[in-house]
Amino acid sequence: MKEAIILAGGLGTRLAKTVHDRQKVMAPVGCRPFLAYVLEYLRKHSYTKAVLAVSYHSEQIKEYFGDFFSGIEIAYSEEKEPLGTGGAIKQALSFCYENAVTVINGDTFFDVDIDKLYNIYNEKNARAVLAAKKMPDCTRHSTLGICDNGKIFSFREKKEQKEGYINGGVYVVGRDIFEEISKERFSFEKDILERMQDGLYAVKDEGYFIDMGVPEAYFRANTEIPLLFGENRFRAAFLDRDGVICKEKHHLYKCEDFEFIDSAPEAIETLREKGYLIIVITNQAGVAKGLYTEEDVKKLHEYMTGLLSDITHIDAIYYCPYHEDGTVEEYKKYSPDRKPSDGMIQKAVRDFWEKGIIIDLENSILIGDKKSDIEAGIKAGVGRNFLVKSGHKFDFDTDIADIVAESIREIAEMM
């Protein structure tokens, strides 16, 4: 029997603004909780049982995964009070039968061959073996000093360091090292690994690694992890900018004039949590009319994405600076990118295809505040096209849209 303990009790304070009222391992990734991919990974490596060491919002985990998931038996080791990583593992071991058990940090994903860790554990008569990942910046991670034979001679818990090997959060451990500690609350890293003088080994692995502890990594995980598991078909939410995301202001280009429409950032994150890529498509005729430059547009978009960085993420932004009635010669021309044409949507489809991602237009949505937005979506074959009242006043037959809503927030909630 191959058993694993997954540490799934962390508070996730660094993701608090992004993942609201959820346990960190339950953060949505490609329409599924992050933990679902960890369990799928264990199944692929022939594990039959996982013990989830839970505490904060444990009810969410139990409700979703139950006692059996993806071919794996699930047991729950619940902390009544915080035990630290060491205490959590020690308690979870009471649900395990083997002398050597796999332990995985529930908020990281490291695509390693765990059998190699077991081989070293047996060959070296080790007490613990961990997977090591080489990183260009190790500041946020435990760093390792590793001998040529794999033995770890130093274990430094989150000390400032640039390039080096880090603790990847996947271990094979002997239960005896926990039996030697009498206290119930302690740190696996500080009280065991840092102090272990002998029997600690590492297996260097260059597999895919991501730490979900910060928003930037979480947003990357939304596409990278599903792709790793062969899930390459995504829905997209194509969003007009002015009147949908930010308040409509005539030829907006100054950062100081930018204002989000109420609840727009939260609505965008709701759409992401429901599995949509977020792609902004916006006409910027002010460039062609000489009112501002492309550099101004880019600066405004950097400002907008910066404001969103703790809450949500935009996967791509496309804009069209061209207009046939422009005054700047370089931009005074027809462009198939300018809505109501669908050029920006088609560009997005091509660009994401080059990344290995298929945008499923039939199951995608578009949200705009003008007729030209809806016409672009229809032309591109976007499945559902929504009008919102938060931007321009309608001077056309709104029957062209599938639904007319008050704002992006209303649409996000109904999807």
Side-chain angles (χ1 to χ4, degrees):
M1 174 186 288
K2 292 181 75 172
E3 302 170 306
I5 293 170
I6 301 175
L7 297 172
L11 295 177
T13 52
R14 290 173 295 176
L15 280 181
K17 293 182 180 179
T18 309
V19 182
H20 310 288
D21 299 322
R22 291 188 185 177
Q23 217 295 326
K24 185 162 50 172
V25 300
M26 295 300 289
V29 173
C31 291
R32 294 201 283 165
F34 176 71
L35 181 57
Y37 290 99
V38 178
L39 290 167
E40 179 69 14
Y41 163 75
L42 290 175
R43 186 192 64 78
K44 288 184 176 181
H45 285 273
S46 303
Y47 282 77
T48 55
K49 181 178 180 179
V51 180
L52 305 186
V54 298
S55 58
Y56 175 70
H57 277 322
S58 61
E59 73 285 351
Q60 296 176 355
I61 301 173
K62 291 178 180 179
E63 182 179 352
Y64 189 93
F65 292 100
D67 299 324
F68 198 79
F69 183 83
S70 190
I72 295 178
E73 177 190 350
I74 308 291
Y76 298 92
S77 174
E78 187 161 6
E79 301 173 44
K80 301 305 180 185
E81 58 183 37
L83 298 175
T85 52
I89 297 169
K90 183 179 179 179
Q91 178 175 286
L93 281 167
S94 64
F95 294 84
C96 301
Y97 299 98
E98 302 297 318
N99 288 324
V101 178
T102 303
V103 177
I104 297 178
N105 289 344
D107 59 355
T108 60
F109 186 90
F110 194 2
D111 188 16
V112 302
D113 184 349
I114 302 179
D115 287 341
K116 291 182 180 179
L117 276 68
Y118 275 97
N119 290 340
I120 294 296
Y121 181 85
N122 293 320
E123 289 172 8
K124 303 291 185 181
N125 194 26
R127 306 191 73 200
V129 182
L130 60 82
K133 173 72 173 179
K134 193 170 187 179
M135 298 287 280
D137 186 350
C138 305
T139 304
R140 290 181 46 244
H141 304 276
S142 302
T143 54
L144 310 170
I146 307 172
C147 298
D148 291 341
N149 68 352
K151 185 175 181 179
I152 295 175
F153 62 84
S154 70
F155 188 105
R156 297 178 293 275
E157 175 67 4
K158 295 182 181 178
K159 302 289 178 65
E160 187 172 345
Q161 180 180 322
K162 293 301 180 182
E163 185 178 83
Y165 280 94
I166 67 163
N167 170 17
V170 179
Y171 316 87
V172 171
V173 299
R175 65 167 62 238
D176 60 302
I177 62 178
F178 295 91
E179 293 170 352
E180 296 171 359
I181 298 180
S182 59
K183 56 186 177 181
E184 298 300 318
R185 180 177 180 176
F186 60 98
S187 166
F188 178 45
E189 296 80 8
K190 288 185 174 295
D191 294 321
I192 293 183
L193 297 180
E194 280 192 12
R195 298 180 181 183
M196 193 175 290
Q197 299 295 315
D198 198 21
L200 180 59
Y201 287 82
V203 172
K204 298 176 181 177
D205 198 294
E206 295 307 312
Y208 174 84
F209 173 84
I210 196 161
D211 178 353
M212 291 271 289
V214 294
E216 179 186 355
Y218 167 59
F219 296 138
R220 286 196 294 109
N222 273 260
T223 50
E224 291 178 358
I225 289 180
L227 284 173
L228 192 68
F229 282 79
E231 300 168 12
N232 67 343
R233 198 171 188 87
F234 289 79
R235 300 180 297 177
F238 295 97
L239 310 179
D240 182 40
R241 192 190 76 187
D242 303 327
V244 175
I245 298 174
C246 60
K247 293 182 179 180
E248 179 66 47
K249 296 181 181 179
H250 190 60
H251 289 302
L252 171 67
Y253 73 95
K254 293 180 180 179
C255 294
E256 56 265 33
D257 293 334
F258 182 92
E259 290 183 80
F260 283 118
I261 288 170
D262 290 345
S263 298
E266 292 77 14
I268 292 171
E269 182 52 23
T270 297
L271 289 168
R272 284 185 60 84
E273 289 179 355
K274 294 181 178 181
Y276 289 92
L277 298 171
I278 304 299
I279 302 173
V280 175
I281 52 171
T282 175
N283 287 343
Q284 291 298 314
V287 176
K289 296 176 181 179
L291 300 175
Y292 48 86
T293 66
E294 282 198 74
E295 188 62 30
D296 292 324
V297 176
K298 293 173 183 176
K299 285 181 179 179
L300 185 67
H301 289 160
E302 288 174 4
Y303 179 74
M304 176 177 72
T305 54
L307 292 176
L308 290 170
S309 61
D310 281 344
I311 302 170
T312 191
H313 175 71
I314 291 173
D315 294 286
I317 300 177
Y318 295 86
Y319 67 92
C320 178
Y322 303 102
H323 196 290
E324 290 174 289
D325 297 329
T327 58
V328 180
E329 198 62 35
E330 180 183 357
Y331 299 102
K332 184 181 178 181
K333 60 182 178 181
Y334 164 80
S335 171
D337 290 345
R338 181 172 175 79
K339 295 177 287 186
S341 293
D342 64 341
M344 287 187 281
I345 297 174
Q346 298 300 344
K347 272 188 177 179
V349 171
R350 292 193 298 271
D351 290 348
F352 278 84
W353 183 83
E354 289 178 0
K355 300 175 186 177
I357 295 172
I358 298 171
I359 293 180
D360 181 357
L361 286 176
E362 186 177 349
N363 288 298
S364 294
I365 64 172
L366 180 142
I367 306 174
D369 67 325
K370 291 185 290 187
K371 184 179 180 181
S372 59
D373 298 322
I374 305 305
E375 289 176 336
I378 292 171
K379 185 174 183 180
V382 175
R384 300 179 75 187
N385 297 275
F386 300 93
L387 270 172
V388 289
K389 301 177 183 178
S390 51
H392 282 87
K393 291 184 178 180
F394 303 145
D395 57 358
F396 55 91
D397 184 357
T398 59
D399 286 346
I400 189 174
D402 292 293
I403 289 177
V404 179
E406 292 296 326
S407 68
I408 185 176
R409 173 80 267 177
E410 183 181 334
I411 295 168
E413 290 173 349
M414 74 172 68
M415 298 311 298

